[in-house]
Amino acid sequence: MTKNLTFFLFITCILSCALTNAQDSLFIKKASEERNIIQADTLTAIDTLSASKYELDLTVKLVKELEGDSLLLKYNLKDNAYAAEIDSLWLYELTNGELFDSITNIIDSIDYSNVEFAELPTDTLKKRLALLDAKTPFNVEYNSSLESVIKMYLKRHRPTMERLMGLSSFYFPSFEETLDKYDMPLELKYLAIVESALRPRAKSRVGATGLWQFMFSTGKLYDLEVSSYVDERMDPVLSTEAACKYLSKLYEMFGDWDLALASYNSGPGNVAKAIRRSGGHKNYWNIRHYLPRETAGYVPAFLATMYIFEYAAEHGYHPQKPDFNYFETDTVKVKQLITLDEIANYTNTPLEEIQFLNPAYKLDIIPFVEDRNYALRLPVRAIGKFVSNEEAIYATAKKELERAEKTLPQYIESDSRITYRVRSGDYLGKIASRYGVGISQIKRWNNLRSNNLHIGQRLLIYPSKPVASVSAKSSLKSTIKRGSKTYIVQQGDSLWKIAQKFPGVSPTNLKVWNDISGSKLKPGMKLVVSN
């Protein structure tokens, strides 16, 4: 009996192998036939795909479609999942920024109607503005419109201004140094707040980029390089130099700093038209009504920002200071292509800290190009480590690069984005390990300043390895508590405007709670606005 069973299993195995080989032969034959059809009926673009790839993995599939009397052959090419994820994250990095969104919306929604704010009597404001007017070349004389803007800032935008004050303690020393070099008013440092909310990677809807919001052509005019790897409009030092040169030229043209600011925003041509339409007036407040709407609110926003920063203590502002200031950093010229991630590892410095100090490197890669001086800025505590071990660092980085070029990224089928709710016992390292991402990435995606988490907190994550997936809608429903408040979107609403109606709620909160990836809203949408 045992012998018969053994013989039966042996025969079964032989038949199974024969069947498999036959199927493989048919598969290869079919693939070869399809390859011949494609090569015969399509353009030479197919030549870039090797014949062996077809026999092993038909990633190019033939789709037959009837269009009139013609039989069409179409490709169904898959994108590289890793590369597509990088594209998505980079776009998110460029467009996401609550402070930038807040400042833009504050300027767009400036209201000159009377604002009640008992903490700042009109007489007190007049005295303070007179002091500012005496010590600056800007026209800071009292008028009712400026009073309304200042009081609106004080009443509605305190959290935004406190956060900006914290950032300013890092950037302002560098700005003042450059402004002094060009013999320009130091108060122009406040212009970067109005322009970009001190966000080096800020990008407007029309393409203006960086702390000083240079358009591509204007940046080129002032020697700011823009390439695949580098955008010097995002470099705090180089862009400030360019802004000083540009503002100096505008001041030479108009002989008035208020008009120079207005022309910086909308162009000298629009300011010249406004002067003509006003009957020849050269005072900003007299031509304001003839300027584009954005520019009409631009100079008042600048003056209101100047007032609040100059009198922050009197109004009880308590800004959070950054971990280090500008003078605690230094630069070194890069001698070889190297990534910010490698620098972080070699110098034992958090990646997000290096990214913060080197925002001009778009892909977190510092290239090496002859006749170009690309610099790496590091905290003083790390610069010594880098310089002392420079040769070893470059040698190791070169080997890493060679290894990376030989290793293709692994294709992983997973959701492009998930919303994770923090549970008891969670910490960033644990969550990062689970989803195959870095701690610094989670912090950057969610605008986290520290590693502290709280139970119930929602985190936006782009996993790099498969996880048990739940549909976005069911995941969202499971994470929203009963009794959460909702809001019906009205005509003209934006995420920022809706967030302003609910204390403690940010545009990012609304995106996460409602699984929104962009910023477009439709009237009638129901949004969760609390949790």
Side-chain angles (χ1 to χ4, degrees), residues 251-287:
Y251 180 70
E252 287 177 16
M253 293 168 60
F254 290 98
D256 180 275
W257 280 112
D258 292 347
L259 298 185
L261 291 182
S263 61
Y264 187 91
N265 179 254
S266 65
N270 282 323
V271 176
K273 290 174 189 173
I275 291 173
R276 291 188 184 97
R277 289 167 179 161
S278 71
H281 286 288
K282 298 179 182 178
N283 180 287
Y284 170 82
W285 293 98
N286 290 331
I287 71 169

Side-chain angles (χ1 to χ4, degrees), residues 343-369:
I343 296 165
N345 290 334
Y346 300 149
T347 62
N348 195 25
T349 305
L351 176 61
E352 59 268 26
E353 208 169 278
I354 297 177
Q355 289 169 328
F356 173 74
L357 294 173
N358 299 273
Y361 301 115
K362 296 158 62 174
L363 304 178
D364 285 354
I365 297 172
I366 306 179
F368 177 75
V369 181

